[in-house]
Amino acid sequence: MAGDQLQVLNALDVAKTQWYHFTAIVIAGMGFFTDAYDLFCISLVTKLLGRIYYFDPSSASPGTLPPNVAAAVNGVAFCGTLTGQLFFGWLGDKLGRKKVYGMTLMLMVICSVASGLSFGHTAKGIVATLCFFRFWLGFGIGGDYPLSATIMSEYANKKTRGAFIAAVFAMQGFGILAGGIVAIVVSAAFKNHFDAPTYAVDRAGSTVPEADYIWRIILMLGAAPAALTYYWRMKMPETARYTALVAKNAKQAAADMSKVLQVEILEEQEKVEQLTMKEANSFGLFSREFARRHGLHLVGTTTTWFLLDIAFYSQNLFQKDIFSAIGWIPKPATMNAIEEVFRIARAQTLIALCGTVPGYWFTVAFIDTMGRFAIQLMGFFFMTVFMLGLAIPYHHWTTSGNHIGFVVMYGFTFFFANFGPNSTTFIVPAEIFPARLRSTCHGISAAAGKAGAIVGAFGFLYAAQSRDPTKRDKGYPAGIGVRNALFVLAASNLVGLIFTFLVPESKGKSLEEMSGENEEEQDTSSPAPYGRTVPV
């Protein structure tokens, strides 16, 4: 039987949608906007880095980053993100969400600027300093995942909490879009000013010295949105759930939320002491009690996020094939360096606009009516279907005249990733764990996702290489080919669908109801009612 809810938490749960909800979405969401911009803009300039720093005048094709260098440049931020998610997730439960939130943002601002200022006398030196700063940029981005999700979940009311957290995550789509638009604008400005010949006409002259500024400007502009929201982040009060249930300061929690909600809220220090002294509210992450109550939930959130990100981040494997096949990106030798950046940015922006962004907002619209479980199950199911739809008739899609169908199928896999597990795996871990472990458990779940991203983006980059040397990317060994890689990804999505059954439905319930923090003591030999793993 549930105990009496603290008045301050009940006030948050039943609050009507107010201005402060939208303020919190924008403040937390701008962090995610920056995260997406910083993580995805590197893919827009890697071809340019290859042309500038790995130019070979004797080669008939423009310079490209060697496989190990490409993996480092693209992947080092993911490694930083993984460690940042674990570290800042833990720190958010120890020091409070607000304090740590400021740290992550400043780290992102400093490292975004530093990435663009990467220095060195040789190609290796510049790439090494770029990777160093990209790692620490990722470290700051990693902290934003558990903190943004936890803050939004603890501020929201229970009726529209899913939509609010989803809206924060949906800013990622706008960040990806902004990265493409910035790259288009910057490259177009340089293209108009520096009319360079194509690589086939003049190998050395096709990359003007000023092209070195393009990638630096694109990377450094990632600092702008983060810097603009720093002041507002620091003005946000600490969440009442952390202040009351973790810091045990009922007076401060009541004062903060009275100001935010503009209602009178009573201090309930005695009730806070009673709640936090219960054995049910004192177990640690590595305790038997946590394993009994939330062990399967943590397995569910980590495995589904891991499996989703394998598929989600490996989808860029065949982007270049699509773009080349439908004529969005001509052969590299027929363009100069700046033109190539422009074409890549335009193609990726179109994909983001048509497939990526709409999926996020479908989740915002339907998550509190359909529920998290149904959306995640549906997303994994349709991702499996469309991956198989790409893989089984793969040779049909690659023949002339059938490329539009391939693009449509490819766009739908992105749509159902975002109107599906890419959104729900972010939302659910912020709702189902106790307040004192919420940020930590979200960080662990998110880190599992980034491990999947590393496997997807780089393991499959090698695995998807053709056995035919003429069709293989320069410098890569033979792999299993794109078609077989798509079958593996479809299987990964199917396994994700199965593990979704370990994740409970949190629609319409308070955070304390989901975590069991407001439950009366009961016989530990019987399963807890909040431990159920099926949707309701």
Side-chain angles (χ1 to χ4, degrees):
M1 179 179 163
D4 290 333
Q5 175 74 299
L6 287 171
Q7 191 189 62
V8 65
L9 304 186
N10 187 60
L12 284 165
D13 282 340
V14 300
K16 291 181 179 177
T17 300
Q18 298 174 36
W19 180 248
Y20 86 89
H21 285 122
F22 296 107
T23 305
I25 288 169
V26 171
I27 294 169
M30 285 310 289
F32 254 84
F33 177 95
T34 308
D35 297 348
Y37 181 101
D38 288 333
L39 281 178
F40 290 92
C41 70
I42 194 69
S43 64
L44 301 168
V45 298
T46 48
K47 295 280 189 188
L48 179 61
L49 291 171
R51 283 190 184 240
I52 295 170
Y53 299 112
Y54 290 87
F55 170 63
D56 178 4
S58 63
S59 174
S61 56
T64 56
L65 298 177
N68 60 330
V69 176
V73 169
N74 286 291
V76 72
F78 289 147
C79 297
T81 303
L82 189 154
T83 51
Q85 285 163 336
L86 293 172
F87 176 72
F88 286 116
W90 168 79
L91 204 62
D93 284 332
K94 295 297 177 188
L95 300 183
R97 289 56 161 133
K98 180 185 172 180
K99 283 182 185 176
V100 183
Y101 217 23
M103 294 181 204
T104 62
L105 206 63
M106 282 313 297
L107 194 57
M108 287 156 61
V109 170
I110 293 165
C111 292
S112 286
V113 174
S115 296
L117 297 175
S118 297
F119 51 87
H121 296 295
T122 63
K124 280 186 179 178
I126 290 169
V127 168
T129 52
L130 175 62
C131 288
F132 174 81
F133 291 124
R134 292 274 307 165
F135 175 86
W136 291 108
L137 173 64
F139 192 67
I141 288 170
D144 225 45
Y145 275 73
L147 293 167
S148 290
T150 300
I151 285 172
M152 198 64 244
S153 74
E154 292 182 346
Y155 262 107
N157 61 51
K158 62 184 180 182
K159 185 180 177 183
T160 56
R161 186 179 61 235
F164 289 160
I165 307 173
V168 169
F169 192 63
M171 294 299 282
Q172 190 177 71
F174 288 129
I176 296 169
L177 199 60
I181 292 168
V182 166
I184 288 170
V185 171
V186 173
S187 59
F190 275 79
K191 188 159 70 89
N192 290 337
H193 198 71
F194 302 101
D195 188 20
T198 65
Y199 186 85
V201 173
D202 183 352
R203 293 178 183 180
S206 67
T207 307
V208 296
E210 290 80 6
D212 193 53
Y213 293 119
I214 293 175
W215 69 269
R216 295 178 185 274
I217 292 168
I218 292 169
L219 295 188
M220 283 195 284
L221 283 173
L228 290 171
T229 53
Y230 181 78
Y231 170 76
W232 298 106
R233 274 201 186 186
M234 292 301 94
K235 281 196 73 177
M236 281 180 82
E238 181 57 85
T239 70
R241 284 182 163 90
Y242 181 85
T243 307
L245 299 176
V246 184
K248 304 176 187 177
N249 189 339
K251 182 179 180 181
Q252 187 65 51
D256 287 343
M257 292 307 107
S258 293
K259 197 180 295 182
V260 167
L261 296 172
Q262 297 180 328
V263 294
E264 271 305 314
I265 297 174
L266 293 175
E267 295 173 29
E268 296 176 290
Q269 188 62 42
E270 190 178 335
K271 193 182 281 189
V272 165
E273 296 291 345
Q274 288 172 355
L275 272 173
T276 54
M277 283 174 65
K278 285 182 183 180
E279 190 182 345
N281 291 334
S282 59
F283 58 82
L285 180 64
F286 299 105
S287 65
R288 186 176 295 176
E289 187 66 9
F290 177 86
R292 185 183 75 83
R293 289 170 177 259
H294 299 293
L296 284 177
H297 297 165
L298 189 58
V299 170
T301 58
T302 52
T303 51
T304 52
W305 206 335
F306 174 79
L307 292 161
L308 173 274
D309 273 8
I310 289 177
F312 187 75
Y313 282 89
S314 62
Q315 281 177 306
N316 61 17
L317 291 177
F318 33 91
Q319 262 190 19
K320 64 180 187 302
D321 298 326
I322 295 169
F323 297 157
S324 300
I326 61 178
W328 284 356
I329 300 179
K331 292 187 181 298
T334 65
M335 298 180 284
N336 61 48
I338 300 173
E339 172 75 9
E340 188 172 42
V341 174
F342 178 82
R343 295 283 191 133
I344 291 169
R346 189 178 65 176
Q348 292 199 15
T349 301
L350 283 167
I351 288 290
L353 198 59
C354 299
T356 306
V357 172
Y360 286 112
W361 292 99
F362 266 73
T363 302
V364 174
F366 293 107
I367 192 161
D368 287 312
T369 51
M370 288 178 64
R372 290 75 163 141
F373 181 87
I375 287 177
Q376 185 161 311
L377 209 64
M378 175 193 71
F380 270 128
F381 173 77
F382 281 111
M383 285 176 74
T384 306
V385 168
F386 285 114
M387 285 285 187
L388 290 173
L390 290 170
I392 294 169
Y394 182 72
H395 299 299
H396 166 78
W397 295 126
T398 53
T399 55
S400 182
N402 299 321
H403 301 313
I404 297 301
F406 192 95
V407 174
V408 171
M409 299 280 277
Y410 176 72
F412 271 120
T413 60
F414 264 116
F415 176 81
F416 281 107
N418 293 318
F419 183 33
N422 193 39
S423 296
T424 54
T425 52
F426 174 79
I427 295 163
V428 174
E431 299 181 307
I432 63 176
F433 298 107
R436 66 188 181 283
L437 299 171
R438 186 169 290 133
S439 178
T440 302
C441 290
H442 194 286
I444 292 168
S445 304
K450 275 296 166 281
I454 292 166
V455 171
F458 307 106
F460 278 85
L461 186 62
Y462 284 85
Q465 295 298 324
S466 174
R467 292 193 180 96
D468 182 352
T470 61
K471 296 179 181 178
R472 207 179 301 156
D473 291 341
K474 186 179 176 182
Y476 286 88
I480 60 174
V482 171
R483 184 170 185 260
N484 289 331
L486 286 168
F487 278 118
V488 174
L489 294 176
S492 175
N493 289 325
L494 189 60
V495 176
L497 184 150
I498 294 165
F499 274 101
T500 296
F501 286 91
L502 296 179
V503 182
E505 177 58 77
S506 49
K507 181 183 77 172
K509 298 178 183 177
S510 75
L511 299 180
E512 289 67 45
E513 193 179 349
M514 287 307 303
S515 65
E517 288 167 287
N518 214 26
E519 296 290 331
E520 296 293 352
E521 299 295 338
Q522 55 185 294
D523 181 9
T524 56
S525 64
S526 62
Y530 41 80
R532 61 176 164 256
T533 57
V534 292
V536 292

